């Protein structure tokens, strides 16, 4: 990676934000609220701010299950049916119960803290499907930045210097302490569950075999300075604030001779578990020109305070799903896809939002940090292979079967329609499986979105995510919020279609097997 690219990445890491669904003041059904889409938890109910006529009001609320056991509240042998991606999970693993409760209390939304493998014995559709001879070469669908700029969010070809777990996933954990902030505990006991969650996520969500290896240094390494030395100018160690360079210099010096980084893909620094949120916050990207034996630039990441006793603005520290979004996906070169709505809140979308405003709504992990990656993002980082991608010829009519994109298995999951060398339309099938198990089943269906590299990289639109846009159904009006999910109603159920770029994209059959999409030219 050249110096210009390193500087570019360092600058742009400042602008990465995590659009968590925010909390609001106490709510009651029908009462006035300020911003569409925000939630508030009151008396065992989660209320969502929705638009009613010209007003913003709290909805009737969803009951948060109070079942304290790990048994499902449905019939034995059945999976709990969720009404919201933010809802309490009655089957939350024991080690994450306190984290889930803190998440609900702080931001009104709980992430998925377990994995649900969907069945692969889901039968077949009845539609007559097109043959492989109707497809274009896979290379035609690997759209890229036509200007050749080596930005990390250029989709194809993937930079050989970026952290790629599908090739190698060696994570070295470095526990550190300060002269006035020490630990007398075992780092494995303190952080082992976090790294198990992260590595399990890699294994579960990738159809390509990933064999992550995590090495945790057995004791906290003393840096010899007070924490305030690094928290300069009132800023703690987060996103280039504080004495970041001095901090990394001291960490690298302290581990010299103790830890061999030559085979390490990611260096993760963890503080004493007693660290307060105002002392150590997470830090996504420390860029240093350190290469491992594979020639990849070493990814360096700092964990924040894991204390669950903290306020909303310090929420990032203790949630393992946040580390999946930050420690894995941003470090792997994926960028946020939330569009401009996140700059002013969902209420800024209005009645006729632009594609740039919509972004991906809450779909995909890089939009709301609540779900699994989009299939497009999985393809970019090597979690699915070329053989699982249908490269559609837009000049002929085709009928294609897409299996559920979040069900683990080596089968077809994504259809890509190339529009130009830098633009494509992507289709995938959404089901409530994998880490999307909390997705309400009424939001299952085909998801259609556009990838536009020119818009990502061009002029005044040079912002994160604006080149990845959710496409809305053409045959019906779409609700902005469904089950508290921004543009959840954008999925296509059987009979729905989207007209775009001279094509009609229609869901013609749907079932446990996924969805069948017909793609045809229109006048």
């Amino acid at each position: 990676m050249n110096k210009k690219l390193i500087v570019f990445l360092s600058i742009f890491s400042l602008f990465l934000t995590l659009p968590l669904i925010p909390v609001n003041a106490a709510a009651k059904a029908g009462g006035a609220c300020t911003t569409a889409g925000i939630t508030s938890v009151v008396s065992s109910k989660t209320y969502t701010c929705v638009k009613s006529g010209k007003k913003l009001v709290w909805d009737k609320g969803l009951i948060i299950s109070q079942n304290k056991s790990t048994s499902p509240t449905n019939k034995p042998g059945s999976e709990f049916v969720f009404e919201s991606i933010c809802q309490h999970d009655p089957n939350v693993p024991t080690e994450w119960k306190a984290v889930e409760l803190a998440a609900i209390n702080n931001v009104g939304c709980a992430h998925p803290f377990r994995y649900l493998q969907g069945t692969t014995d889901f039968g077949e559709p009845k539609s007559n499907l097109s043959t492989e001879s109707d497809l274009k070469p896979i290379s035609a669908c690997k759209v890229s930045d036509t200007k050749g700029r080596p930005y990390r969010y250029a989709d194809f070809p993937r930079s050989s210097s970026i952290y790629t777990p599908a090739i190698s996933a060696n994570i070295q954990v470095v526990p550190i302490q300060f002269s006035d902030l020490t630990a007398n505990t075992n780092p494995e006991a303190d952080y082992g569950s976090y790294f198990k969650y992260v590595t399990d996520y890699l294994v579960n969500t990738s159809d390509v075999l990933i064999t992550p290896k995590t090495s945790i240094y057995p004791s906290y390494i003393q840096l010899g300075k007070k924490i305030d030395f690094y928290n300069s100018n009132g800023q703690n160690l987060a996103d280039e604030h504080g004495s970041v360079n001095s901090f990394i210099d001291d960490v690298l010096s302290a581990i010299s001779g103790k830890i061999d980084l030559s085979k390490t893909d990611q260096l993760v620094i963890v503080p004493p578990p007693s660290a307060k949120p105002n002392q150590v916050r997470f830090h996504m990207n420390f860029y240093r020109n350190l290469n491992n034996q594979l020639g990849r630039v070493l990814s360096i990441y700092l964990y924040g305070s894991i204390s669950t006793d903290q306020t909303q603005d310090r929420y990032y520290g203790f949630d393992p799903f946040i580390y999946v979004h930050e420690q894995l996906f941003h470090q792997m070169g994926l960028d946020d896809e939330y569009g401009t709505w996140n700059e002013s809140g969902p209420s800024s979308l209005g009645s006729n939002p632009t594609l740039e405003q919509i972004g991906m709504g809450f779909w995909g992990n890089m939009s709301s940090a609540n779900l699994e990656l989009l299939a497009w993002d999985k393809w970019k980082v090597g979690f699915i292979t070329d053989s699982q991608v249908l490269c559609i010829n837009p000049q002929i009519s085709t009928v294609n079967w897409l299996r559920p994109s979040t069900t683990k298995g080596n089968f077809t999951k994504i259809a890509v329609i190339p529009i130009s060398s830098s633009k494509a339309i992507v289709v995938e099938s959404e089901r409530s499986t994998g880490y999307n198990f909390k997705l309400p089943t009424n939001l299952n269906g085909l998801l259609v979105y556009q990838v536009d590299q020119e818009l990502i990289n061009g002029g005044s639109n040079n912002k994160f995510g604006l080149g990845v846009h959710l496409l809305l159904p053409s045959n019906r009006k779409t609700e902005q919020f469904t089950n508290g999910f921004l543009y959840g109603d954008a999925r296509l159920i059987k009979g729905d279609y989207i007209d775009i770029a001279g094509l009609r994209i229609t869901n013609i059959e749907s079932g446990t097997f996924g969805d069948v999409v017909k793609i045809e030219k229109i006048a």
Side-chain angles (χ1 to χ4, degrees):
M1 184 178 290
N2 60 42
K3 292 182 179 179
K4 289 184 178 180
L5 179 55
I6 293 171
V7 171
F8 170 82
L9 296 178
S10 299
I11 293 172
F12 268 81
S13 69
L14 292 171
F15 299 99
L16 290 171
T17 57
L18 187 60
L20 293 165
I21 302 173
V23 74
N24 199 25
K28 64 178 181 178
C33 53
T34 57
T35 306
I38 59 175
T39 60
S40 181
V41 179
V42 179
S43 299
S44 302
K45 276 191 174 184
T46 299
Y47 294 89
T48 302
C49 184
V50 298
K51 191 171 183 180
S52 178
K54 296 183 179 180
K55 297 181 179 180
L56 291 173
V57 298
W58 295 109
D59 67 4
K60 63 182 180 180
L62 292 173
I63 297 176
I64 301 172
S65 172
Q66 297 300 309
N67 181 11
K68 296 183 179 180
S69 73
T70 58
S71 302
T73 57
N74 293 29
K75 295 179 180 179
S78 65
E79 179 64 25
F80 183 81
V81 177
F82 291 88
E83 297 180 43
S84 165
I85 60 173
C86 291
Q87 198 171 354
H88 160 63
D89 177 11
N91 290 319
V92 62
T94 300
E95 65 267 30
W96 300 119
K97 284 185 176 182
V99 170
E100 187 198 58
L101 179 61
I104 291 175
N105 289 339
N106 278 289
V107 296
C109 190
H111 288 135
F113 296 112
R114 60 185 174 95
Y115 175 77
L116 178 65
Q117 168 63 32
T119 179
T120 56
D121 185 22
F122 38 51
E124 298 183 2
K126 298 179 180 179
S127 302
N128 292 322
L129 305 175
S130 298
T131 64
E132 188 175 342
S133 61
D134 293 326
L135 301 175
K136 292 179 71 68
I138 195 68
S139 59
C141 287
K142 294 184 177 182
V143 300
S144 61
D145 176 9
T146 56
K147 296 181 177 61
R149 292 165 290 196
Y151 298 167
R152 66 175 181 170
Y153 49 67
D155 294 318
F156 292 98
R158 181 167 174 81
S159 170
S160 61
S161 66
I162 295 178
Y163 176 36
T164 305
I167 297 176
S168 178
N170 293 321
I171 302 171
Q172 176 63 60
V173 182
V174 176
I176 53 96
Q177 59 184 345
F178 309 88
S179 60
D180 59 342
L181 180 60
T182 60
N184 56 9
T185 51
N186 181 293
E188 172 71 40
D190 295 336
Y191 288 97
S193 59
Y194 280 87
F195 288 99
K196 184 179 186 304
Y197 184 95
V198 170
T199 54
D200 283 351
Y201 191 99
L202 282 172
V203 172
N204 292 333
T205 197
S206 175
D207 294 332
V208 174
L209 177 64
I210 296 180
T211 54
K213 178 183 178 181
T214 300
S215 300
I216 303 178
Y217 194 76
S219 61
Y220 287 88
I221 299 174
Q222 179 60 246
L223 297 188
K225 295 176 182 176
K226 293 183 177 181
I227 181 63
D228 285 345
F229 176 84
Y230 304 107
N231 291 337
S232 61
N233 301 319
Q235 300 283 0
N236 54 16
L237 286 168
D239 296 339
E240 308 298 345
H241 299 306
S243 300
V244 170
N245 290 330
S246 295
F247 175 70
I248 292 300
D249 285 342
D250 288 349
V251 170
L252 294 176
S253 176
I255 66 176
S256 178
K258 295 184 176 72
I259 298 175
D260 180 8
L261 298 180
S262 63
K263 297 181 181 180
T264 299
D265 298 293
Q266 187 170 58
L267 173 62
V268 180
I269 305 166
V270 297
S274 60
K276 301 297 182 184
N278 62 353
Q279 291 177 309
V280 183
R281 289 188 65 190
F282 82 97
H283 190 303
M284 290 183 260
N285 305 305
F286 293 106
Y287 294 105
R288 287 299 179 95
N289 194 16
L290 298 172
N291 290 12
N292 63 14
Q293 288 184 341
L294 292 173
R296 287 179 172 77
V297 173
L298 184 67
S299 163
I300 305 179
Y301 184 88
L302 171 66
Y303 266 40
S305 167
I306 59 172
S307 169
T308 57
D309 183 21
Q310 51 183 297
T311 57
Q312 181 187 350
D313 66 333
R314 298 293 183 263
Y315 166 67
Y316 308 111
F318 60 78
D319 190 329
F321 204 74
I322 299 301
Y323 291 120
V324 167
H325 179 91
E326 304 292 351
Q327 178 193 332
L328 291 182
F329 299 153
H330 277 315
Q331 301 288 282
M332 289 158 58
L334 296 177
D335 290 308
D336 295 311
E337 298 162 346
Y338 43 70
T340 59
W341 67 263
N342 189 61
E343 297 174 3
S344 305
S347 62
S348 65
L349 288 166
S351 58
N352 294 297
T354 64
L355 294 179
E356 291 86 350
Q357 286 177 295
I358 292 173
M360 285 305 301
F362 285 165
W363 290 102
N365 188 277
M366 306 314 293
S367 58
S368 64
N370 286 296
L371 299 174
E372 272 201 37
L373 289 176
L374 297 174
W376 173 262
D377 288 331
K378 288 186 178 184
W379 188 28
K380 288 197 305 183
V381 300
F383 283 6
I384 63 175
T385 65
D386 290 356
S387 65
Q388 296 175 272
V389 181
L390 301 176
C391 188
I392 305 298
N393 186 342
Q395 301 303 316
I396 61 177
S397 177
T398 60
V399 176
N400 310 279
W401 173 20
L402 301 178
R403 282 72 161 180
S405 64
T406 54
T407 297
K408 188 178 178 68
N410 186 23
F411 35 70
T412 305
K413 290 188 173 181
I414 180 175
V416 180
I417 312 166
I419 304 302
S420 71
S421 59
S422 61
K423 183 184 297 186
I425 296 169
V426 184
V427 189
E428 64 180 271
S429 175
E430 297 292 341
R431 290 296 182 274
S432 305
T433 61
Y435 290 100
N436 278 11
F437 69 87
K438 293 174 73 174
L439 182 70
T441 54
N442 66 312
L443 302 187
N444 289 180
L446 281 178
L447 193 66
V448 185
Y449 48 97
Q450 179 176 277
V451 176
D452 185 348
Q453 284 292 83
E454 286 292 320
L455 187 56
I456 288 176
N457 296 328
S460 62
N461 289 318
N462 193 9
K463 299 179 180 179
F464 289 109
L466 298 190
V468 184
H469 303 140
L470 186 63
L471 298 178
L472 306 181
S474 300
N475 62 306
R476 59 178 171 83
K477 183 179 179 180
T478 306
E479 296 292 332
Q480 274 193 5
F481 285 92
T482 305
N483 297 68
F485 192 109
L486 184 61
Y487 288 108
D489 195 27
R491 82 310 178 230
L492 306 185
I493 59 175
K494 183 179 178 180
D496 283 346
Y497 61 86
I498 289 174
D499 291 338
I500 182 75
L503 301 171
R504 174 162 291 181
I505 302 168
T506 308
N507 187 338
I508 64 171
E509 189 178 355
S510 187
T512 57
F513 53 79
D515 297 280
V516 178
V517 57
K518 182 176 182 179
I519 301 168
E520 57 189 327
K521 294 188 71 174
I522 55 175

